[in-house]
Amino acid sequence: MCTGGCAKCLGTTLLPLAVLCTLANILLFFPGGKVVDDHLHITDEVWYFAGILGSGVAMLFPALVFLGLKNNDCCGCCGNESCGKRFAMFSSIIFAAVGVLGAGYCFVSSAVAINRGPKCFTGKEWTYPFQDGDYLSNHTLWDTCQSPENIVPWNLTLFSLLLIMSGIQVVLCGIQVVNGLFGTICGDCKCCGCCGVSNRGFPFIVLCLDGHYVSTEIAESREN
């Protein structure tokens, strides 16, 4: 698969993940699926907007850039069909780095939230009753949270989804960093033949004279 096609595949995968992360973060504002009376009763990590900003909005930019790489105009640099594509692939590395940072932020925030546990009412006060993720292996501790109802499985499920999806996003953006490096160094195999330049001969000598493209093809020698 060419570098542009690979980038498009990655972008196609990142878009739905960004939407799902955004939805998961929004659902966390409704503990147990219900509207709370006081916003202070919502777990602090929810207010970090990691799923909305980190794995959501920030991920849309690299995803859209990756999707456009396959159809990007590769006719830049005085008719050199691979030069424009190389620059586009190089810029995708920067956007991929942005994606890694955004998804990494969501990953870390979700991990902290899972380890800390949800904020709930224990019968005496609104607090964080769990310590160092002890509730993960001892489900009997879940009864400590009296309100909101089912707050422990609700937060655990949604933050776990954010953790998994943001982890996948980090991997996909990391793949694009490598893919972008290959595209920057080697160009894209789909570039041959654009701008009316054929790839039947090798190599190409492309000149730019007074704004006009002049392409000279050195045909391959054939043995009789």
Side-chain angles (χ1 to χ4, degrees):
M1 180 183 292
C2 297
T3 54
C6 178
K8 183 178 181 180
C9 181
L10 295 174
T12 303
T13 307
L14 287 172
L15 271 181
L17 286 175
V19 174
L20 290 175
C21 286
T22 300
L23 291 176
N25 199 151
I26 292 175
L27 289 174
L28 285 167
F29 283 100
F30 304 93
K34 299 178 181 179
V35 179
V36 294
D37 298 328
D38 190 343
H39 70 277
L40 295 177
H41 296 165
I42 297 176
T43 303
D44 290 343
E45 286 75 17
V46 178
W47 294 101
Y48 295 170
F49 297 101
I52 296 176
L53 299 179
S55 287
V57 176
M59 194 57 60
L60 291 178
F61 296 103
L64 293 175
V65 169
F66 300 166
L67 285 173
L69 285 177
K70 185 175 178 63
N71 299 321
N72 185 72
D73 181 17
C74 54
C75 306
C77 301
C78 295
N80 187 339
E81 70 270 8
S82 65
C83 182
K85 181 70 73 172
R86 290 171 190 262
F87 179 79
M89 294 303 296
F90 174 76
S91 65
S92 74
I93 299 176
I94 300 176
F95 283 96
V98 173
V100 170
L101 292 176
Y105 169 62
C106 183
F107 185 89
V108 173
S109 298
S110 299
V112 171
I114 292 174
N115 182 69
R116 190 182 187 187
K119 188 176 187 178
C120 63
F121 184 67
T122 60
K124 296 181 179 180
E125 60 179 345
W126 286 87
T127 185
Y128 294 91
F130 309 119
Q131 299 292 331
D132 299 325
D134 54 355
Y135 72 101
L136 296 175
S137 58
N138 188 358
H139 290 187
T140 58
L141 294 177
W142 293 14
D143 296 332
T144 305
C145 287
Q146 298 182 9
S147 178
E149 186 178 358
N150 298 321
I151 181 60
V152 177
W154 180 268
N155 270 34
L156 181 59
T157 299
L158 292 175
F159 274 119
S160 295
L161 288 174
L162 284 175
L163 184 74
I164 294 172
M165 290 188 292
S166 60
I168 294 175
Q169 289 176 329
V170 169
V171 173
L172 293 179
C173 288
I175 292 175
Q176 178 54 30
V177 170
V178 178
N179 182 54
L181 287 174
F182 276 108
T184 302
I185 298 173
C186 304
D188 187 88
C189 62
K190 294 293 185 180
C191 274
C192 300
C194 76
C195 297
V197 182
S198 172
N199 65 343
R200 289 173 297 177
F202 182 84
F204 294 102
I205 299 177
V206 184
L207 303 176
C208 184
L209 301 175
D210 297 328
H212 298 285
Y213 297 137
V214 179
S215 175
T216 303
E217 178 182 334
I218 301 178
E220 294 177 326
S221 61
R222 298 181 180 179
E223 296 181 359
N224 296 327

